[in-house]
Amino acid sequence: MATMRDVAERAGVSIATVSFVVNNTKPVSAATRERIEAAMAELGFQRNVVARALASRRTRILAMAYPALEHRLGAAGMGFVTSAARRAAERGYHLVVWPVGNDAAELSDLVGQGLVDGVVLMEVLLRDARVDALVASRLPFAMIGRTENPAGLPHVDIDFDVTVEDALTYLHQLGHREVAFVTEGEPRATFRLYGPKVRAERAFERGCAERGLEALMVECEQHAAAGRETAREILARHPGTTAIMIMNEHAASGVLSGAIRSGVRVPDDMSLLSIVTTRDMGAMADPVLSIMRSPGEELGTLGVDLLIGQLEGEPMPEPRLLPCVLEPGESTAPAPGR
Amino acid sequence: MATMRDVAERAGVSIATVSFVVNNTKPVSAATRERIEAAMAELGFQRNVVARALASRRTRILAMAYPALEHRLGAAGMGFVTSAARRAAERGYHLVVWPVGNDAAELSDLVGQGLVDGVVLMEVLLRDARVDALVASRLPFAMIGRTENPAGLPHVDIDFDVTVEDALTYLHQLGHREVAFVTEGEPRATFRLYGPKVRAERAFERGCAERGLEALMVECEQHAAAGRETAREILARHPGTTAIMIMNEHAASGVLSGAIRSGVRVPDDMSLLSIVTTRDMGAMADPVLSIMRSPGEELGTLGVDLLIGQLEGEPMPEPRLLPCVLEPGESTAPAPGR
DNA sequence: GGCTAGCGGTTAAGCGGTTTGCTACCCACC
DNA sequence: GGTGGGTAGCAAACCGCTTAACCGCTAGCC
């Protein structure tokens, strides 16, 4: 690989001048610039990013940190990563993937290596040691998700209030008056700190209260079999239920088939709405599930933008909350008798 | 952040000696080593990976290159990336994610930056310009998947011969004599070069020939609706079919529901076997699909091992082919009348 | 008339490590 | 006591780039 020195020699200038041309950091006369560019083209010069990083103290590498094994990231997880990587590439950055534990030590270690200019943190908990570690490290970062009180910390997240409110409005307008909400549930205690679950539950309670409905919530583990069981349970204990809202991507199809197996017709007798999910997931069910689609790719892109914004000295970015959007499928219909 | 110079001063030694201790590259007396280690601990020293990379001409960064937007990587895609990143971390490497087009120029460009020591290439086509570019760049790489003739190129891949053969054996032993094979199909021409599809089709033809069966193959786009249509088509045109083998993760549930909607009982009248897929995907269907599980995580891990092996001067690694393993669900049963 | 502020460019000092000689020293041995 | 060999540690030359500081000169300013 040709170096700047090679280019400089060939163009008969100093290596600094080459640098100024490459980075466009100082005016250079047209004639010189031309000679340098010709030399670069002839030699196939590409500047070495490692040397550049060392000298400029900016690596132009970002990290995407996500908790390994802690939470199942389905296809949506890939959406985060690929969209983030794409955006980073567009803006001249690289993205490294850091599977880290939920403890802070590992993350601090990685940060200390000095490889990255900033971190995008996924799957943030309401109280999260990793966030504290990042704050302490003074390294710029952005969250996808947010802590309990994220004021002052750059983040993007799903707007659970709006999403749940929109979902309830939709079902309510269809005439449903007894709506059950199936959420993610796990034996692990950290799950109580999982923002999406907590925020969606609160929003559901509020929405039900405002409409004078009873807020029936059921936790369900993240697999189809649990979903089937949950459906049976709801039907048995709350036979008046006419709609089920689900925020549990891996259980949704189970809830559907559980209901069908119990002899319930979907959507005639029972409406199902899967929220915070992907289109693919909904399309896989039969009938196709009505969903509120999670803006996964937008979040990845925005997270990176938020981070790069800080790095490039743009004014402190606004946090962004994006709602999921309704995409009706075949699993929702007016409440029976309407 | 403390530098080696700081540590050296504090321990009263030269910076070179610190380096020898940190890397364990030259014998150092116990007393000196102790002083240095103490100094490092007091200062919280971590060596700067960028400086190290520049000096040693090894960045200890690997790239995972996958074609952006070209092919739907579902949850399995995430499995590749996370398992690869985890393995890389275990062995002291970082993993960057490179969404690249299927053209070689973009990849050559990235390689030329000198950021990575090697590349793991995903979704390799039978003839693949990216592979040529990597060979030309003389940078070590490993493929997940393989070209038409991958001899001499380090790779790991699914063993489609064994997988399809095992699947056919399983169905054959259940008494099925008319088996249809649903594969991935797309308008795009590059799909003809997609190794998994081509290899699986060949294996299917061979297996059918050996057993004296007719090899019925149907292409299907990668979504559930197409799967439903395909199921109807098979039932209409080949009413004797008693088993459908599917290698099309996104259409599998559609094939199932298409069959059911047509009044076919699964598995009593018709067996369904989804191959090269994930457990999650199969579990989402009702009945739970019998699958041949894709060794996605193993492939990611092995790919990284293969690459690091080369980097660390281990003898030329053996290519590895892993079969998918049968995980019977509720969608397969003896052929009707058996 | 002295001051500063650009010209387009060079020089050189880093950035924080790795690595190659080389020195100084100790010990054993004839 | 000279010699040889082995060891611990050091100095210094990089790795390939960025970025002050500054070159000699001219132009604009009060």
Side-chain angles (χ1 to χ4, degrees):
Chain A
M1 270 288 95
T3 72
M4 267 195 182
R5 156 179 264 106
D6 301 332
V7 174
E9 267 171 25
R10 181 160 197 130
V13 298
S14 81
I15 162 178
T17 309
V18 178
S19 176
F20 298 143
V21 167
V22 169
N23 299 310
N24 209 17
T25 42
K26 250 189 156 186
V28 168
S29 75
T32 315
R33 153 167 278 127
E34 232 162 71
R35 284 212 319 284
I36 292 174
E37 277 167 355
M40 292 200 300
E42 286 160 20
L43 295 172
F45 171 76
Q46 273 192 274
R47 74 164 150 345
N48 180 309
V49 297
V50 177
R52 173 154 119 118
L54 181 59
S56 67
R57 255 153 298 183
R58 306 234 356 236
T59 63
R60 307 197 130 248
I61 301 176
L62 313 178
M64 170 74 92
Y66 62 89
L69 299 172
E70 276 298 317
H71 194 61
R72 334 173 54 143
L73 303 163
M78 191 67 186
F80 283 151
V81 173
T82 58
S83 64
R86 187 160 36 235
R87 188 72 178 144
E90 280 167 16
R91 301 191 62 169
Y93 286 76
H94 288 273
L95 188 75
V96 306
V97 181
W98 281 353
V100 297
N102 256 338
D103 76 307
E106 203 176 343
L107 190 54
S108 300
D109 233 55
L110 286 167
V111 164
Q113 301 188 355
L115 180 69
V116 304
D117 289 343
V119 177
V120 178
L121 190 61
M122 282 175 58
E123 298 282 315
V124 180
L125 300 180
L126 293 179
R127 284 199 313 279
D128 201 314
R130 298 169 304 159
V131 173
D132 302 334
L134 285 173
V135 170
S137 77
R138 315 185 58 77
L139 194 76
F141 71 102
M143 304 184 285
I144 299 182
R146 58 199 144 128
T147 54
E148 180 73 62
N149 180 4
L153 301 179
H155 64 273
V156 293
D157 198 1
I158 291 171
D159 191 328
F160 294 98
D161 289 347
V162 171
T163 300
V164 170
E165 179 62 25
D166 287 356
L168 266 179
T169 299
Y170 173 60
L171 293 174
H172 198 252
Q173 283 179 349
L174 284 173
H176 297 281
R177 293 296 175 265
E178 293 195 36
V179 178
F181 186 25
V182 175
T183 63
E184 299 157 319
E186 291 233 341
R188 265 180 300 111
T190 67
F191 223 67
R192 306 260 144 254
L193 289 174
Y194 191 54
K197 172 182 160 67
V198 174
R199 291 200 165 87
E201 285 175 352
R202 286 183 198 152
F204 182 72
E205 282 176 336
R206 195 176 332 121
C208 285
E210 282 169 6
R211 292 173 175 80
L213 308 180
E214 188 198 350
L216 170 60
M217 296 193 284
V218 191
E219 290 189 353
C220 173
E221 289 189 23
Q222 300 188 71
H223 53 264
R228 280 194 270 280
E229 188 47 44
T230 299
R232 286 196 201 96
E233 208 178 298
I234 292 174
L235 292 172
R237 300 210 192 145
H238 308 273
T241 306
T242 65
I244 303 180
M245 191 166 103
I246 308 156
M247 186 169 90
N248 185 330
E249 194 160 44
H250 294 275
S253 70
V255 173
L256 172 61
S257 63
I260 293 176
R261 282 192 189 188
S262 300
V264 169
R265 289 172 307 159
V266 176
D268 311 279
D269 304 329
M270 173 78 77
S271 283
L272 253 56
L273 178 62
S274 181
I275 70 172
V276 193
T277 186
T278 59
R279 189 178 296 153
D280 279 2
M281 205 61 89
M284 242 165 246
D286 184 29
V288 170
L289 288 172
S290 296
I291 63 164
M292 307 270 307
R293 191 174 61 77
S294 168
E297 309 222 332
E298 293 88 328
L299 290 177
T301 304
L302 273 175
V304 165
D305 278 338
L306 225 51
L307 181 54
I308 295 181
Q310 292 179 68
L311 296 177
E312 308 201 330
E314 291 165 19
M316 186 57 162
E318 297 283 308
R320 291 283 301 275
L321 297 183
L322 308 180
C324 299
V325 297
L326 178 68
E327 299 192 353
E330 309 162 345
S331 69
T332 42
R338 281 226 145 203
Chain B
M1 269 288 97
T3 72
M4 269 196 181
R5 154 178 267 104
D6 300 331
V7 174
E9 266 171 25
R10 180 157 196 134
V13 297
S14 81
I15 165 178
T17 308
V18 176
S19 176
F20 297 144
V21 167
V22 169
N23 298 310
N24 208 16
T25 42
K26 247 188 163 188
V28 168
S29 75
T32 317
R33 153 166 279 126
E34 232 162 71
R35 285 211 318 283
I36 292 174
E37 277 167 355
M40 293 198 301
E42 284 159 21
L43 295 173
F45 170 76
Q46 273 192 273
R47 75 166 151 341
N48 181 308
V49 298
V50 178
R52 173 154 119 117
L54 181 60
S56 66
R57 254 153 299 183
R58 305 233 357 236
T59 63
R60 307 196 130 249
I61 302 175
L62 312 178
M64 171 74 93
Y66 61 89
L69 299 172
E70 276 298 318
H71 193 61
R72 335 171 56 141
L73 302 166
M78 191 67 184
F80 283 152
V81 173
T82 59
S83 64
R86 186 158 39 232
R87 188 73 180 143
E90 281 167 14
R91 301 192 62 170
Y93 285 75
H94 288 274
L95 187 75
V96 308
V97 180
W98 281 353
V100 297
N102 257 339
D103 77 305
E106 203 175 346
L107 191 53
S108 299
D109 233 56
L110 287 166
V111 164
Q113 300 189 354
L115 180 69
V116 304
D117 289 342
V119 177
V120 178
L121 189 62
M122 280 174 60
E123 299 280 315
V124 180
L125 300 181
L126 292 179
R127 284 199 313 278
D128 201 313
R130 298 168 304 159
V131 173
D132 302 334
L134 286 173
V135 169
S137 77
R138 314 186 57 77
L139 194 75
F141 71 102
M143 305 184 285
I144 298 182
R146 57 197 144 129
T147 54
E148 180 73 61
N149 180 4
L153 301 179
H155 64 272
V156 293
D157 198 1
I158 291 171
D159 191 328
F160 294 98
D161 288 347
V162 171
T163 300
V164 170
E165 179 62 25
D166 287 356
L168 267 179
T169 299
Y170 173 60
L171 293 174
H172 198 252
Q173 284 179 350
L174 285 173
H176 296 282
R177 295 296 175 265
E178 293 195 36
V179 178
F181 186 24
V182 176
T183 63
E184 299 157 319
E186 291 233 341
R188 266 180 300 110
T190 67
F191 223 67
R192 306 261 144 252
L193 289 175
Y194 191 55
K197 172 181 159 68
V198 174
R199 291 201 166 85
E201 285 174 351
R202 286 183 198 154
F204 182 72
E205 283 176 337
R206 196 176 330 122
C208 286
E210 282 168 7
R211 292 174 176 79
L213 308 180
E214 190 199 349
L216 170 60
M217 298 192 284
V218 191
E219 289 189 353
C220 173
E221 288 189 25
Q222 301 187 69
H223 54 264
R228 280 194 270 281
E229 189 45 46
T230 299
R232 286 197 200 95
E233 209 178 298
I234 292 173
L235 292 172
R237 300 209 192 146
H238 308 272
T241 306
T242 63
I244 303 179
M245 192 166 103
I246 308 156
M247 187 169 92
N248 185 330
E249 193 159 43
H250 294 275
S253 70
V255 173
L256 172 61
S257 63
I260 293 175
R261 282 193 187 186
S262 300
V264 169
R265 289 171 307 159
V266 175
D268 311 282
D269 304 330
M270 174 78 77
S271 283
L272 253 56
L273 178 61
S274 179
I275 70 172
V276 193
T277 186
T278 59
R279 191 178 293 153
D280 278 4
M281 206 61 88
M284 243 164 242
D286 186 28
V288 170
L289 287 173
S290 296
I291 63 163
M292 307 269 308
R293 190 175 61 77
S294 168
E297 309 222 332
E298 292 89 328
L299 289 177
T301 304
L302 273 175
V304 166
D305 278 338
L306 225 52
L307 181 54
I308 295 181
Q310 293 179 67
L311 297 176
E312 307 201 330
E314 292 167 17
M316 186 56 162
E318 296 283 307
R320 291 282 303 274
L321 298 182
L322 307 181
C324 299
V325 296
L326 177 68
E327 298 192 354
E330 308 162 345
S331 69
T332 42
R338 278 228 146 200

